Structures are given as C-alpha cells and as structure tokens.
Amino acid sequence: MTVHAYDAALFGGTVGIGARPAVVVVDLVAGFTDPAYPPGADLAGVVTATRSLLDRARARRLPVVFTTVAFAPDGVEGRVWRQKMPALDCLAEGSAAVEVDERLARRPDEPLVVKRTASAFGGTGLPALLVSLGADSLIVAGATTSGCVRATVVDACMAGYRTVVPRECVGDRHAGAHEANLFDLQAKYADVVALADLFERLEAA
C-alpha cells in the first residue's frame, strides 16, 4: 500500500493532546544510550532532545515517568525475549546498565517503572500510576522506536490514551526500522510530530 493509498483509506487521523499529558520516557538508560553495552547505540541527539522536552514538562509541572528494563537474578521473566536477543543479558537488576541516563537528570519525585517486557504497560504498575497522576494523554519518548517505544505506544492507544510521539525524542539502532515504525505509528496509533510542534501544542493546551 502506498502513502497515497493510506491517505485514501483514511489512515493517519489526529488524536491531539489533553490538558494534562504525562511524559513517559522509555528506556533511556545506560544500556541503550551507551554504545559500550551490547544493546546500546549512540543516542546523544535523542537524549538532548528529550532533556529539552523534560525541561519544558517540568516547568509546566506535568507528570514525568521513566522506565527501565531490569531482569531479576532468577532469569524467569523475560527468558524468551533474552533468548531471542542475548544482548539484553547485561540489563541486570542493580547494574549500571539499567540506570537512567544521567543527562536526563531524573528527579526524586519522578517515578521509575521497572519492566521485563517491551511495553511499559506489560505487567507493570504504569496503568495505575497514570491514573494516580491524573494523566489524560501521553507524550512518549525513548528507545527503541521499533521495539519498546512502539510496544508502549500501541498499548497506550489500546488503553485509551491519546498519544504524541516527538520524532526527535525517539531513536533506534537502525535508521530504516526507525522511519518505518514512525510511519506506522503515525498511520495507526499516535500523532508523530516535530518537537517544536509539540511545544506549540503544549502552549495551546
């Protein structure tokens, strides 16, 4: 199906943003943002853009939630995922690899959701947390676009959250996978926008 065919088939509507969006920063932890780790990549631009987003959100007192992937020593949860992607083995509970990238300056009052699946909604306390924070929509940043970001955005849509993805604030190890998934997310699940456009939406909300 071509891009024009998608348009003709009524894909890619606009969901917008609410009055109290929560920023969910998916897995911008050392294991993914430091190329020295097996699953890592150079995501410096993504981290810088996300820090700009966080500065704006914090100034507006919007909820901010971080996630990390951290596997327990027993290795039971996430066993199949790790079998498929052995690079994830470095993401052990308590290790430096699972710590939020220090450039994002996570604050003590910003929750950290620990997950063992791709989606931040998968078997975690995130759904209840978002309710307690009074979030009416989501802004999703993080890594990777084709993996944990995509899974989180799809589940957010299924949970009834209008979701915006600022394209500068998400990244992947592979440019083709990154672009293909942004295209698909925009067509079916979320508004994929430039960060400057998101800032304009926040000012208008």
Side-chain angles (χ1 to χ4, degrees):
M1 181 180 282
T2 66
V3 173
H4 295 302
Y6 263 77
D7 293 340
L10 301 180
F11 285 75
T14 301
V15 297
I17 196 168
R20 187 169 169 79
V23 178
V24 179
V25 182
V26 179
D27 300 350
L28 286 184
V29 298
F32 290 120
T33 64
D34 184 347
Y37 289 99
D42 182 4
L43 298 178
V46 172
V47 172
T48 298
T50 301
R51 176 59 187 270
S52 178
L53 169 62
L54 290 172
D55 289 345
R56 186 68 62 99
R58 289 160 176 161
R60 296 177 64 86
R61 299 184 183 278
L62 297 178
V64 173
V65 178
F66 290 85
T67 78
T68 187
V69 177
F71 297 108
D74 59 29
V76 175
E77 292 184 271
R79 181 175 63 250
V80 174
W81 191 16
R82 292 168 68 182
Q83 182 178 355
K84 183 65 181 177
M85 193 176 172
L88 298 177
D89 286 346
C90 68
L91 302 176
E93 284 183 349
S95 70
V98 305
E99 296 295 324
V100 173
D101 192 302
E102 62 183 12
R103 292 169 290 184
L104 298 176
R106 174 179 167 243
R107 297 180 176 182
D109 62 344
E110 295 172 343
L112 178 65
V113 173
V114 178
K115 62 191 184 72
R116 297 185 177 115
T117 64
S119 173
F121 287 86
T124 73
L126 181 62
L129 178 60
L130 293 174
V131 171
S132 71
L133 293 172
D136 62 5
S137 51
L138 302 183
I139 299 167
V140 176
T144 61
T145 314
S146 62
C148 296
V149 168
R150 178 189 174 84
T152 297
V153 172
V154 172
D155 280 356
C157 182
M158 299 306 106
Y161 284 102
R162 290 177 288 167
T163 302
V164 175
V165 179
R167 63 169 48 247
E168 297 95 331
C169 297
V170 293
D172 204 287
R173 305 174 193 92
H174 191 281
H178 172 73
E179 291 299 333
N181 280 275
L182 285 181
F183 176 86
D184 200 56
L185 290 176
Q186 165 61 29
K188 301 172 185 174
Y189 304 109
D191 290 349
V192 177
V193 304
L195 186 57
D197 180 55
L198 173 59
F199 287 163
E200 289 181 3
R201 292 191 188 198
L202 289 175
E203 291 301 322

